[in-house]
């Protein structure tokens, strides 16, 4: 069989270092692939006026699988000021290449697993009865709808007449906002479509079945947000009843879910939600298993294009340290999700086992695991560097 080609998109800041170390781990674990570099991020915005060049989209279209580090984003005005002089004042407007990539390939399914590693000093603990301390094992996978809802981009400040008049036809709008001057109104919509809602629900149930989770929890707010959350709940009930009778459907409100996850996170298996609530609940669970250094994700689409990336950003303040201090595990875990996706689960299992051993041994820990402040002297004070962590994982592979 010919080798698979993976499009690597390091992006900016620490994205570069964590991706480089991850490729070393993949190689050492015996994953055979060709890597082609995809340009993305701030440099390409500044030099070319486009943080997601056409050539990168072409590469993804051709090879389907992307491994992405992180990018830097800045507000519109700041972004415009950093363009090379030739591109200034040409009306170029910065927009996030991640959002761009999602929209271009319709990467509508976002998956974020949060699983406890034994021995991680950042694990969530709670008080038991008396003086005992409990450390519940979290094993949750969040399925977040990735393209619509509150992040769909359909919004207005001081809406035009036509839009305003359309809203005024809604009795609740008229009753609650009819007296407010138009110029003082901002509106962001939350649009759900049946097709996309069904796709994320089915992806969640499929995952539960494949990996033996006994429940899928819908974390929305159907009692208040009746149309969108309500539709999602009705569809979830139908899909469960018809096609996944062996899996329980639990319905929690997003606000209550954020409380429950700090009380009994071990109760939950697969969680499914719309875009914004999925984003919130996944950060909530990530905090229980060590935070950004451990939070990995996958995004995929009907077309077969899939991109795997850590949840964290480019952490610019750490990018220029002589010795890199950031934790590469979130990126390595994201690569494991890629391996699972392309049918290389044996290799991902091997890597996860190696990561688990390094963490439980506790000899090699990056600054976040040492509960240190992120600073250039972290390594001098006993924290492992990014490279040392990757090397420790590689050493356990053999
Ligand atoms: P960030 O995730 O880059 O960093 C926040 C803090 O989290 C860091 O200061 C650090 O303390 C910690 N952290 C992040 N990654 C870590 C790792 N691997 N190991 C240990 N600690 C880690 O978020 P921030 O500072 O809000 O944004 C920085 C830039 O990244 C911005 O330009 C932002 O727009 C962009 N960003 C990009 C994302 C992406 O590429 N997916 C996601 C979030 C932010
Ligand atoms: Mg987020």
């Amino acid at each position: 069989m010919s080798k698979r080609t993976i499009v690597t998109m390091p992006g900016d800041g620490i994205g570069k270092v964590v991706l480089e170390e991850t490729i070393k781990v993949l190689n050492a674990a015996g994953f055979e692939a060709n890597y082609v570099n995809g340009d993305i991020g701030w440099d390409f915005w500044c030099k070319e006026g486009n943080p997601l060049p056409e050539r990168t989209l072409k590469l993804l279209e051709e090879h389907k699988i992307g491994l992405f580090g992180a990018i830097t984003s800045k507000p519109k005005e700041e972004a415009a000021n950093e363009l090379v002089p030739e591109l200034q004042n040409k009306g170029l407007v910065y927009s996030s290449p991640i959002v761009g990539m999602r929209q271009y390939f319709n990467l509508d399914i976002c998956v974020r697993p949060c699983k406890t590693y034994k021995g991680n000093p950042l694990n969530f603990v709670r008080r038991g009865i008396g003086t005992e301390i409990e450390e519940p094992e979290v094993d949750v996978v969040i399925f977040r709808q990735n393209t619509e809802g509150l992040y769909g981009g359909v919004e207005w400040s001081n809406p035009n007449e036509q839009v305003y008049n359309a809203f005024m036809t809604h009795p609740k709008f008229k009753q609650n906002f009819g007296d407010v001057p138009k110029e003082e109104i901002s509106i962001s919509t939350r649009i759900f479509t049946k097709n996309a809602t069904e796709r994320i629900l089915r992806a969640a149930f499929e995952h539960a079945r494949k990996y033996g989770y006994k429940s899928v929890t819908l974390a929305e707010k159907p009692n208040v947000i009746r149309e969108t959350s309500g539709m999602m709940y009705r569809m979830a009930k139908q899909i469960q009843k018809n096609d996944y009778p062996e899996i329980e459907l639990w319905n929690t409100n997003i606000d209550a879910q954020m409380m429950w996850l700090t009380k009994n996170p071990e109760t939950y298996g697969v969680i499914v939600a719309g875009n914004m609530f999925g984003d919130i609940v996944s950060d909530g669970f990530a905090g229980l298993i060590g935070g950004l250094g451990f939070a990995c994700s996958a995004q995929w689409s009907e077309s077969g294009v899939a991109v795997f990336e850590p949840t964290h950003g480019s952490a610019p303040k750490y990018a220029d340290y002589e010795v890199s201090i950031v934790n590469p595990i979130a990126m390595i875990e994201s690569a494991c999700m890629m391996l699972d996706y392309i049918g290389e689960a044996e290799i991902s299992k091997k890597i996860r086992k190696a990561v688990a051993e390094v963490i439980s041994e506790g000899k090699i820990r990056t600054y976040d695991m040492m509960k240190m402040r992120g600073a250039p002297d972290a390594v001098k004070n006993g924290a492992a560097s990014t490279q040392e962590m990757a090397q420790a994982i590689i050493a356990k592979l053999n």
Side-chain angles (χ1 to χ4, degrees), residues 112 279 283 311:
R112 294 180 170 175
D279 202 10
D283 272 9
T311 305

Side-chain angles (χ1 to χ4, degrees), residues 17-295:
V17 57
V18 292
L19 184 53
E20 188 180 334
E21 294 308 308
T22 297
I23 305 287
K24 290 182 195 163
V25 173
L26 287 170
N27 287 336
F31 177 56
E32 294 191 2
N34 298 315
Y35 296 99
V36 292
N37 183 70
D39 294 335
I40 191 169
W42 200 249
D43 288 348
F44 303 96
W45 161 253
C46 297
K47 284 188 298 203
E48 303 175 19
N50 183 359
L52 180 58
E54 195 68 29
R55 57 188 180 275
T56 305
L57 295 172
K58 287 258 151 56
L59 281 176
L60 278 169
E61 213 150 66
E62 183 181 348
H63 303 296
K64 307 287 186 211
I65 305 295
L67 258 185
F68 170 46
I71 50 103
T72 296
S73 271
K74 295 185 191 177
K76 258 201 294 203
E77 293 74 25
E78 229 175 295
N81 290 336
E82 291 193 31
L83 284 168
V84 291
E86 308 89 88
L87 293 175
Q88 299 250 343
N89 305 317
K90 293 228 159 102
L92 292 168
V93 179
Y94 179 81
S95 70
S96 158
I98 303 182
V99 176
M101 197 156 58
R102 270 181 209 157
Q103 282 163 353
Y104 188 87
F105 292 111
N106 193 24
L107 297 168
D108 65 328
I109 310 284
C110 172
V111 189
R112 294 180 170 175
C114 297
K115 192 169 172 11
T116 305
Y117 275 114
K118 280 209 176 65
N120 184 352
L122 302 176
N123 286 342
F124 170 72
V125 294
R126 71 182 165 218
R127 189 189 286 276
I129 292 173
T131 55
E132 151 202 11
I133 297 291
E134 298 170 344
E135 192 173 313
E137 196 180 326
V138 179
D139 180 5
V140 165
V141 186
I142 293 100
F143 280 75
R144 164 194 178 192
Q145 206 296 326
N146 214 25
T147 45
E148 29 185 67
L150 267 177
Y151 294 176
V154 183
E155 42 187 12
W156 305 265
S157 283
N158 187 12
N160 64 46
E161 273 316 310
Q162 212 179 357
V163 170
Y164 180 80
N165 291 339
F167 273 98
M168 279 297 266
T169 64
H170 195 291
K172 283 272 163 63
F173 187 89
K174 198 163 179 190
Q175 182 192 317
N176 296 329
F177 309 105
D179 296 340
V180 184
K182 204 166 73 61
E183 310 72 55
E184 292 179 19
I185 293 179
S186 290
I187 301 171
S188 300
T189 63
R190 186 176 196 261
I191 299 171
F192 281 32
T193 65
K194 275 203 165 145
N195 179 48
T197 305
E198 176 158 354
R199 275 179 50 75
I200 195 71
L201 287 168
R202 286 196 181 276
F205 277 109
E206 248 342 278
H207 190 89
R209 174 174 284 165
K210 184 168 175 196
Y211 293 98
Y213 291 94
K214 69 177 199 311
S215 65
V216 169
T217 302
L218 177 68
E220 279 284 323
K221 188 102 185 170
N223 56 336
V224 178
I225 315 176
R226 288 160 190 278
E227 300 306 329
T228 46
S229 294
M231 177 178 85
M232 197 168 189
Y233 181 42
R234 287 189 297 277
M235 290 178 74
K237 279 197 290 195
Q238 204 63 44
I239 289 169
Q240 185 270 341
K241 185 164 154 244
N242 294 345
D243 299 328
Y244 301 91
E246 83 280 13
I247 295 160
E248 288 177 36
L249 171 66
W250 297 348
N251 178 35
T252 61
N253 288 330
I254 181 65
D255 47 347
Q257 183 62 62
M258 296 311 292
M259 178 267 293
W260 289 118
L261 70 81
T262 58
K263 287 183 71 109
N264 55 350
E266 71 273 39
T267 313
Y268 298 96
V270 172
I271 305 256
V272 62
N275 207 337
M276 174 92 257
F277 295 162
D279 202 10
I280 292 173
V281 76
S282 61
D283 272 9
F285 274 105
L288 307 177
I289 56 124
L292 288 175
F294 294 85

Side-chain angles (χ1 to χ4, degrees), residues 14 18 68-74 98 102 292-294 309-318 325-331 366-368 374:
I14 65 165
V18 292
F68 170 46
I71 50 103
T72 296
S73 271
K74 295 185 191 177
I98 303 182
R102 270 181 209 157
L292 288 175
F294 294 85
E309 56 166 315
T311 305
H312 64 71
S314 61
K317 65 180 180 196
Y318 301 158
I325 63 165
V326 294
N327 191 345
I329 291 177
M331 182 80 237
T366 43
Y367 85 94
D368 51 330

